[in-house]
Amino acid sequence: MTSEILYESPNHKFIYIGKDVDRPDYIIDTNQYLLIHDDVATIIDPGGIEMFSSVSSAFAGEVRMSNVKFIFSSHQDPDVVSALALWLSITDSKIIIDRIWSSFISHYGAKPNNMIMVEDGGMKFNMAKDYAFDIIPAHYLHSPGQLNLYDPISKILFTGDIGAALIPKEDLKSKRRPNVFVKDFDNHIKYMEFFHKRFMPSNEPKKIWIDRVSKLDVEMIVPQHGLIFKGKDMVNRFLNWFDSLNLGIYSK
Ligand SMILES: [Fe+2]
Ligand SMILES: [Fe+2]
């Protein structure tokens, strides 16, 4: 596993873990994140059941499992949260997810008393005594109940499947340490295009989302697959590219 500290101050940390070059070819590559403020931690999109042992041992080097109080799930997909039952067995945490998926993720072991259901409009979430992150709606991109997380301290926007890229495994293996950040945006487009066009239904939710996130001060866009868009220039390049892309029913 490759890890990278995306932001660090004495009481606040945003950590990336992913690019597992040993994963089998038939499993999609996922990015996992850990947000720590004081002694409270949130795991962001913990990943699939097959990733649990490598992700949990990587996170155990960063945080005490007893300090993990929340698991943020951008949406209901198995690559996002099928390991939920295992995470709930080693942490005393609550799962944060869009209300429409609450009864579905019960199949992953969640129960009403350990769920925080988010309404359509999103919310500010008080994670620690003096710290809150923003839960931002990103519905239909691609899941009809998709949530983003914005950390106002690091100015990192976690976008779930928005900005996702499927990087060929050979590309990851060819380097001593896999890239974490997008270096060449134009070259990166080919890894993103199909997913956004095929999995996202139409342009309307995209316009609403771009309008919404354009009002935020974003230093980094961190997706659930692929590479991170670091710096305002890269963030804007991604938003401009996404804005001009025809999705779903418009993509023919
Ligand atoms: Fe998904
Ligand atoms: Fe995904």
Side-chain angles (χ1 to χ4, degrees):
M1 295 291 261
T2 305
S3 73
E4 182 88 27
I5 296 173
L6 302 178
Y7 179 89
E8 185 172 25
S9 77
N11 71 337
H12 194 84
K13 242 176 169 181
F14 204 118
I15 303 165
Y16 161 88
I17 289 175
K19 303 280 166 290
D20 180 9
V21 291
D22 297 323
R23 82 190 149 82
D25 284 336
Y26 57 84
I27 286 172
I28 197 168
D29 187 36
T30 55
N31 299 330
Q32 291 70 223
Y33 301 91
L34 183 63
L35 172 60
I36 307 171
H37 187 87
D38 291 333
D39 56 357
V40 180
T42 297
I43 294 174
I44 302 171
D45 278 9
I49 202 157
E50 78 297 334
M51 295 292 288
F52 175 74
S53 60
S54 48
V55 175
S56 58
S57 52
F59 281 165
E62 303 289 347
V63 71
R64 262 196 216 134
M65 283 300 140
S66 57
N67 288 350
V68 175
K69 298 298 180 196
F70 305 102
I71 295 168
F72 178 87
S73 187
S74 61
H75 59 296
Q76 82 296 353
D77 273 345
D79 63 315
V80 173
V81 71
S82 66
L84 183 61
L86 297 167
W87 283 105
L88 292 174
S89 73
I90 62 160
T91 62
D92 179 21
S93 55
K94 290 192 186 307
I95 169 89
I96 303 170
I97 194 158
D98 191 283
R99 180 177 288 280
I100 68 165
W101 298 123
S102 55
S103 50
F104 291 75
I105 61 152
S106 298
H107 295 280
Y108 296 147
K111 295 197 172 65
N113 64 353
N114 57 19
M115 276 186 220
I116 295 166
M117 300 175 214
V118 180
E119 304 297 337
D120 275 353
M123 66 190 285
K124 215 173 228 328
F125 184 76
N126 292 308
M127 174 178 139
K129 217 165 53 214
D130 61 347
Y131 169 71
F133 57 72
D134 295 304
I135 301 177
I136 294 169
H139 305 318
Y140 298 102
L141 298 170
H142 67 98
S143 166
Q146 196 192 213
L147 302 171
N148 289 177
L149 185 158
Y150 176 69
D151 170 21
I153 293 181
S154 64
K155 299 182 168 54
I156 291 173
L157 176 65
F158 168 72
T159 53
D161 276 340
I162 304 169
L166 304 175
I167 316 278
K169 199 169 171 182
E170 311 77 70
D171 254 45
L172 301 177
K173 279 205 153 160
S174 63
K175 301 173 182 82
R176 202 159 49 87
R177 188 181 188 279
N179 269 345
V180 170
F181 302 105
V182 177
K183 299 255 186 329
D184 179 344
F185 185 84
D186 292 331
N187 186 54
H188 191 60
I189 289 172
K190 63 176 181 290
Y191 301 133
M192 300 191 285
E193 197 164 2
F194 172 78
F195 175 78
H196 288 78
K197 282 168 121 175
R198 183 66 184 86
F199 280 75
M200 298 186 178
S202 81
N203 291 341
E204 285 77 3
K206 176 192 74 176
K207 295 279 180 200
I208 294 167
W209 180 82
I210 289 176
D211 194 44
R212 194 173 277 144
V213 300
S214 297
K215 296 185 180 102
L216 301 172
D217 183 8
V218 180
E219 282 295 337
M220 247 185 257
I221 283 183
V222 303
Q224 194 228 347
H225 308 277
L227 304 179
I228 290 168
F229 304 89
K230 185 181 179 183
K232 287 213 160 62
D233 180 50
M234 231 10 132
V235 166
N236 287 332
R237 288 194 77 176
F238 172 73
L239 293 177
N240 290 336
W241 170 79
F242 193 36
D243 195 21
S244 64
L245 193 69
N246 275 324
L247 309 181
I249 56 174
Y250 296 108
S251 68
K252 292 282 181 304

